[in-house]
Amino acid sequence: MRILESIAGLRRELASPRDGGRRIAFVPTMGNLHEGHRRLMHVAREHGDCVVASIYVNPLQFGPNEDLAGYPRTPDEDIRALQEEGVDLLFMPGDAEVYPRGQEAMTRVEVPGISDILCGASRPGHFRGVTTVVNRLFNLVQPPVAVFGKKDYQQLFLIRRMVEDLGMPVAIVGVDTVRDDDGLALSSRNGYLNQAERSAAPQLYATLNGLAEQIRRAHKFHPEFTAPAVEQLRQAGFRPDYLSVRRAGDLAEAGGADRALVILAAAWLGRTRLIDNLEVTLPD
Ligand code: PAF
């Protein structure tokens, strides 16, 4: 696996697979890789014959009081994992390479509206940071295909929208969430949980499943289903940020007639903010 820290080096290394007609599949990450990331690399391999990963903890997507400084950075383990997954090329730029003019002065990319709901409501500017860096990484790597996890459902939705709106020639592949045996979605932030919090954490997914079951039994979503699910999270020790049933197609609030739904939730356990989601498709 070739490891590049500079844009010049990345461009040099990408020239030969591109000229040789090899299809580049790209997986951007913030490192601290777990089984979920390994799955993304695996899927990337199915879609391309040159797998490119990036590791960059993007400061622009962290709020002033968020965990940028403490975000887990494990480059040695990450490099080993990517080698094991057969990744061809790893791009690990520093801030000066990604934001040469300084992050405040660089051109931004923002998807209006949807960036400000759900996670965007409690993390102002977060998604602008995500779409800005993903846009820049796409321009540097120029992949025909890029792979993202469905755990960050709203992020995946926004990236698809950005690609569509900007006419970018990149196919976006979404990959199902990888979970621990007890249902907890794998996330780098799970490492922040203490033992008691880790035991409570699977209740997030369990609550989403309970709500999904209720919707399926009723053959439709009723808005009054949501409050008891939020209360269930509180009882399990969470501080819910939001729990919302949305239309999978546009993330608008779901109504009783909608068939393709997604339940999205974010909730704090101590100092850790966990997110999860569950798609529910009702028969017509
Ligand atoms: O999902 C992530 O790890 C990040 O938000 C991403 C897409 C790599 C952008 O920094």
Side-chain angles (χ1 to χ4, degrees), residues 73-197:
R73 288 159 172 89
T74 51
D76 296 342
E77 289 88 336
D78 293 347
I79 289 168
R80 259 199 304 280
L82 294 176
Q83 275 163 341
E84 280 168 21
E85 292 305 317
V87 168
D88 298 281
L89 213 149
L90 168 60
F91 183 44
M92 286 179 89
D95 290 340
E97 217 51 13
V98 180
Y99 299 116
R101 232 182 302 286
Q103 65 181 61
E104 293 310 319
M106 299 281 293
T107 300
R108 313 238 170 135
V109 175
E110 180 165 7
V111 178
I114 303 158
S115 292
D116 299 324
I117 60 171
L118 302 166
C119 280
S122 27
R123 303 186 68 190
H126 166 67
F127 286 120
R128 185 180 54 214
V130 171
T131 42
T132 296
V133 82
V134 171
N135 175 70
R136 180 143 168 83
L137 291 168
F138 279 1
N139 283 329
L140 298 175
V141 177
Q142 299 187 12
V145 57
V147 180
F148 294 84
K150 280 194 186 178
K151 188 185 74 85
D152 298 297
Y153 196 93
Q154 188 178 5
Q155 167 175 284
L156 174 60
F157 187 94
L158 282 162
I159 289 166
R160 285 192 202 281
R161 179 63 66 84
M162 172 186 77
V163 162
E164 200 180 311
D165 287 357
L166 298 182
M168 301 170 100
V170 47
I172 303 298
V173 177
V175 177
D176 285 340
T177 303
V178 177
R179 300 179 180 281
D180 264 336
D181 290 344
D182 57 11
L184 177 64
L186 296 193
S187 162
S188 299
R189 290 189 168 100
N190 292 352
Y192 297 155
L193 300 169
N194 66 28
Q195 221 176 345
E197 289 161 354

Side-chain angles (χ1 to χ4, degrees), residues 3 9-10 15 36 47 71 75 95 143-144 150 162 197 242 259:
I3 303 175
L10 176 74
H47 285 82
Y71 195 83
D95 290 340
K150 280 194 186 178
M162 172 186 77
E197 289 161 354
Y242 66 81
R259 308 283 87 189

